[in-house]
Amino acid sequence: MRRFFLILGIVFLCFSIVVPTALAKKKPIRIRFSHVVAENTPKGWAANEFARRVNNALKGKVRVQVFPNSQLYDDNQAIEALSAGFIEMVAPSSAKFVGSVPQLQIFDQPFLFSSPEVCHKVIDGPIGQEIFGMLKKRGLKALAFWDNGFKHFTNNVRPLIKPEDFKGIKFRIMSSDVLEAQMKILGAVGLKLPFAEVYNALEQGVVDGQENTASNIYSKKFHEVQKYMTISNHGYIGYLVTTSERFWNKLPDDIRTELEAILKQVTIEERKKALELNESQMAKIKEYAKTSGRLQIYTLNQEEKAVMRKALEPVHKATPDIIPLRWIEEIYKMK
Ligand code: LMR
């Protein structure tokens, strides 16, 4: 009888070790990818595409879930949520790293980058290396750099053609001190608000205007609550696809390699898609302006752009305690 209970005990012990281990092995690694924009935007498209490809290629091993439109966290909360382990991936615009790596505001500088390629060169070069080091110190790991595109101004007060036109206008800006300096130099006021609050703020007159890419304006219908739009291409929005060092380092090597390969391919396609989407959605905004008669669009010509650029140049060196001046000089040389 004693032997029977001994065997029963051993069987039970084995069962209690083996079964949960086997079950645990089956549970896929979960990647919750949180972002703030709509799905019909460059980032929205790329996040979904990354999820689709990972969920196919690593079926049963990894499961990516995308939460768009600030469903889980707004821009001010996302990086903290990532660090706390509540989510595993984010792709905030560089401005949103103001609380962790404020040097990333280099990408908010007006008229500093002549094309997305210059931004890629910066992030792929020595400045990028320094930035990745700063992120690492914060426990963050940048995996890729995705494009959105160049921003334009919209507002409800007057057409914005000359720097003087900005005087007294209240703009929603991303949470960036560089953008705050940009508005100040123009005599305007910059109010930092999360992306999810922009439409209501414009509609209710909390702010008069905002600056964004065509895809962000179109997908969130900002143009429907604005009277004037200036096609200015004055500043750039790009994204750092980011995870936490803790999550990334815990992944098995083969999974990490596969995720990197998929991300690399999606990044190549995302950059093309960003150009396409911004172009097609700008055309839709123009169509809306024509058919509704409620939006006036003005495109700055080369001379007007040069005047605006000159007025905004002091912003480049207005925050030397945040953005090293040698970085600015370095980027001037790339032009
Ligand atoms: C914004 O806040 O306007 C943008 O950063 C949103 C985004 O992620 O493109």
Side-chain angles (χ1 to χ4, degrees), residues 36-37 43 75 91-93 95-96 148 172-174 193-195 198 210-213 216 222 237 239:
V36 299
V37 294
K43 178 163 61 183
D75 6 25
S93 57
K96 311 287 167 64
N148 186 330
R172 175 270 171 173
I173 50 169
M174 294 184 276
L193 284 178
F195 187 62
V198 182
Q210 61 87 47
E211 48 162 24
N212 233 309
T213 61
N216 277 351
F222 298 160
I237 292 189
Y239 306 113

Side-chain angles (χ1 to χ4, degrees), residues 43-245:
K43 178 163 61 183
W45 176 86
N48 286 350
E49 200 52 27
F50 172 71
R52 191 183 66 78
R53 292 185 197 188
V54 171
N55 293 343
N56 271 340
L58 295 170
K59 210 182 173 103
K61 292 187 195 163
V62 180
R63 182 163 149 64
V64 182
Q65 282 174 288
V66 181
F67 299 91
N69 293 309
S70 313
Q71 264 170 31
L72 284 188
Y73 299 105
D74 75 22
D75 6 25
N76 296 336
Q77 305 159 335
I79 296 172
E80 278 173 35
L82 178 76
S83 301
F86 297 148
I87 47 178
E88 289 72 30
M89 251 169 131
V90 292
S93 57
S94 46
K96 311 287 167 64
F97 288 84
V98 68
S100 47
V101 180
Q103 291 82 352
L104 267 162
Q105 292 173 91
I106 182 82
F107 292 104
D108 299 335
Q109 288 287 353
F111 292 113
L112 182 61
F113 303 93
S114 48
S115 66
E117 285 71 32
V118 178
C119 300
H120 304 159
K121 221 167 142 183
V122 170
I123 204 77
D124 294 340
I127 297 177
Q129 283 310 309
E130 282 189 58
I131 289 174
F132 294 149
M134 293 169 189
L135 286 162
K136 192 170 178 178
K137 276 197 192 139
R138 290 296 187 142
L140 301 170
K141 166 100 188 152
L143 299 170
F145 189 80
W146 287 351
D147 284 334
N148 186 330
F150 283 92
K151 293 180 287 184
H152 313 288
F153 294 108
T154 65
N155 88 103
N156 273 331
V157 181
R158 62 180 86 94
L160 303 172
I161 301 164
K162 303 180 295 303
E164 305 87 87
D165 298 330
F166 287 74
K167 236 181 195 68
I169 299 182
K170 207 171 184 186
F171 287 91
R172 175 270 171 173
I173 50 169
M174 294 184 276
S175 50
S176 154
D177 299 331
V178 166
L179 296 178
E180 202 167 39
Q182 168 192 285
M183 292 307 180
K184 205 166 162 199
I185 277 174
L186 290 170
V189 180
L191 185 68
K192 294 173 181 171
L193 284 178
F195 187 62
E197 292 175 27
V198 182
Y199 181 90
N200 284 344
L202 292 172
E203 194 191 31
Q204 290 162 17
V206 175
V207 289
D208 307 306
Q210 61 87 47
E211 48 162 24
N212 233 309
T213 61
S215 60
N216 277 351
I217 294 171
Y218 178 77
S219 59
K220 290 292 179 189
K221 300 187 175 16
F222 298 160
H223 59 295
E224 294 185 10
V225 286
Q226 296 279 263
K227 291 191 189 125
Y228 308 100
M229 177 169 185
T230 299
I231 301 183
S232 51
N233 291 294
H234 62 280
Y236 170 83
I237 292 189
Y239 306 113
L240 270 188
V241 183
T242 307
T243 184
S244 72
E245 284 278 340

